[in-house]
Amino acid sequence: MITISLCMIVKNEEEVLARCLDSVRGIADEIIICDTGSTDQTKEIAARYTDLVYEEPWQEDFAAARNAAFLRASKEYWFWLDADDVLEEEERQKLLALKKRLSPGEVGTVMMRYATAFDDNGQASFVFERERLIRNVGRPVWQGRVHEVIVPFAPILHSDIMISHRKVKISEPGRNLRIYEKMEKQGAVFSPRELFYYARELMENGNLEKAVDVFYRFLKDETAFLPNRQEACCFLAKCLQALSRPVQAREVLWQGLALGTPTGELCCALAESYMKKEQWKEAAFWYRAALQAEPDLFTGGFIRQECYGYLPAIELCVCYDRLGDWQRAAQWNEKAAVYQPSSPAVAYNRNYFAAKQKADGSKKE
């Protein structure tokens, strides 16, 4: 059995910290919490769970803060969580079993699934893999001032354990973009990963023109992480559509398809571009292609689950209705219901098709 140090950085997390720490009871052999400037009861709550609570001055550098927590750890493996993360009971039991099963040094990194968005039924809708349990090598391992990451150590174990990221409040607006812009002013050389996330922050903060420029810069680097390149094509196309440049948007999506095995996200984005032009047949083709794609949770890319089920099914309902085949459209609506039974769109469509069927019956009479 291995020993584990849970290492966390926190700031003003009084609403969620106890929930997080309660959810991982029995996992950690020690808990290290570095507070980066809380003005609420965060430190007092942390002290109920551990004596190892430290004040760590905030340097606008997430990697530096996480490394400070890691380097205070004494156990064989580091385990990290954010304060608004939760380990559901089934997942906690899986992690406890893994802890008992592993021998010290047997693995370098255990990858776990990370769910950061959920549908109306509470099911994970946005999932990706993260390095979560890491062998303690006694030196800094986190990289990146924002969207920090650890390069996994081999041997790597891909686990199906899932951590749920359940926010109750919005993060500090503009914080990440501010850090990236400061880096740019300081003349920092951006890694491909940093360019990808900088472009995303620009997009999410409404600076679409600059986001387009940075996404194009990122895509020029053929050594960049393939899933990020495919994702960047989707994001870039979205920016170009918003800037009324649909031809360029379509070209970028075709570029994304040429990078490797088509993802559900790319197929749905291409289908949407045809829907905007009311080219229902072409849109239907690409939504069907999305349903043939398979999400690969072990690539490290972001998985938008609805692009592999509910979204193409509900949009195929729309496409076939617009093509005048409402019976086939109704069938696709029922397939969408398999993925999201309580979807308001499914319920609305059922009433719509019931009225269609009644009207058709009246005509036949």
Side-chain angles (χ1 to χ4, degrees), residues 8-10 13 15-17 19-20 81-87 114-115 163-171:
M8 301 178 64
I9 59 171
V10 297
E13 301 288 4
E15 296 172 90
V16 293
L17 183 57
R19 181 189 69 177
C20 172
L81 291 170
D82 286 337
D84 41 12
D85 289 340
V86 176
L87 197 64
Y114 201 18
I163 310 293
S164 297
H165 188 66
R166 296 189 180 271
K167 284 189 173 186
V168 299
K169 63 181 181 182
I170 299 172
S171 302

Side-chain angles (χ1 to χ4, degrees), residues 15-154:
E15 296 172 90
V16 293
L17 183 57
R19 181 189 69 177
C20 172
L21 293 172
D22 286 340
S23 79
V24 292
R25 65 193 182 282
I27 301 295
D29 298 284
E30 71 175 356
I31 299 174
I32 294 98
I33 296 181
C34 287
D35 187 277
T36 61
S38 292
T39 55
D40 62 3
Q41 295 298 304
T42 295
K43 285 182 285 186
E44 289 76 8
I45 294 169
R48 301 206 302 259
Y49 294 85
T50 179
D51 295 330
L52 304 176
V53 180
Y54 304 92
E55 292 187 9
E56 185 66 31
W58 177 239
Q59 305 171 47
E60 294 207 315
D61 186 329
F62 281 93
R66 290 204 190 273
N67 281 323
F70 270 33
L71 293 178
R72 289 182 167 103
S74 65
K75 303 307 176 185
E76 294 158 346
Y77 282 83
W78 292 310
F79 179 55
W80 69 273
L81 291 170
D82 286 337
D84 41 12
D85 289 340
V86 176
L87 197 64
E88 303 295 348
E89 181 58 24
E90 181 180 351
E91 309 304 319
R92 189 181 78 87
Q93 291 298 331
K94 286 191 217 173
L95 183 48
L96 279 171
L98 178 65
K99 178 184 178 182
K100 291 175 183 176
R101 187 170 72 247
L102 289 179
S103 301
E106 182 180 345
V107 298
T109 308
V110 178
M111 308 294 289
M112 298 183 192
R113 297 177 185 181
Y114 201 18
T116 59
F118 304 85
D119 63 25
D120 293 339
N121 299 312
Q123 298 300 308
S125 59
F126 193 70
V127 182
F128 52 100
E129 203 181 41
R130 283 300 308 261
E131 63 291 358
R132 185 65 67 169
L133 188 64
I134 304 99
R135 183 166 54 85
N136 187 341
V137 292
R139 59 176 172 78
V141 290
W142 286 94
Q143 302 174 15
R145 296 187 206 178
V146 189
H147 297 292
E148 64 282 12
V149 67
I150 299 171
V151 177
F153 305 143

Side-chain angles (χ1 to χ4, degrees), residues 333 343-353:
N333 189 57
S343 163
V346 168
Y348 176 88
N349 290 343
R350 280 175 175 158
N351 291 331
Y352 170 76
F353 292 126

Side-chain angles (χ1 to χ4, degrees), residues 264-330:
E265 290 85 356
L266 275 166
C267 292
C268 283
L270 194 55
E272 183 183 3
S273 75
Y274 282 110
M275 284 190 80
K276 288 180 183 297
K277 296 179 72 69
E278 299 187 0
Q279 293 177 268
W280 310 114
K281 221 170 156 182
E282 291 81 359
F285 175 89
W286 285 106
Y287 280 128
R288 290 195 302 271
L291 288 168
Q292 296 300 311
E294 293 184 5
D296 188 346
L297 292 169
F298 301 123
T299 63
F302 297 118
I303 305 295
R304 187 181 164 197
Q305 296 281 11
E306 67 174 2
C307 289
Y308 298 84
Y310 173 76
L311 180 61
I314 201 71
E315 296 294 12
L316 278 163
C317 170
V318 175
C319 290
Y320 283 109
D321 184 61
R322 296 294 188 273
L323 288 166
D325 189 347
W326 70 262
Q327 290 94 341
R328 197 170 181 185

Side-chain angles (χ1 to χ4, degrees), residues 141-215:
V141 290
W142 286 94
Q143 302 174 15
R145 296 187 206 178
V146 189
H147 297 292
E148 64 282 12
V149 67
I150 299 171
V151 177
F153 305 143
I156 298 171
L157 173 64
H158 294 275
S159 163
D160 67 349
I161 298 168
M162 182 178 290
I163 310 293
S164 297
H165 188 66
R166 296 189 180 271
K167 284 189 173 186
V168 299
K169 63 181 181 182
I170 299 172
S171 302
E172 181 186 339
R175 177 197 60 199
N176 293 350
L177 179 58
R178 182 182 69 241
I179 295 172
Y180 279 129
E181 289 177 333
K182 183 178 179 180
M183 289 172 62
E184 190 172 47
K185 286 178 183 176
Q186 292 173 338
V189 177
F190 283 75
S191 68
R193 177 184 170 83
E194 286 170 330
L195 279 176
F196 173 69
Y197 282 105
Y198 183 21
R200 278 187 53 181
E201 293 293 341
L202 288 162
M203 177 184 72
E204 289 166 7
N205 284 274
N207 192 341
L208 300 184
E209 288 286 2
K210 187 161 185 180
V212 165
D213 176 62
V214 178
F215 274 129

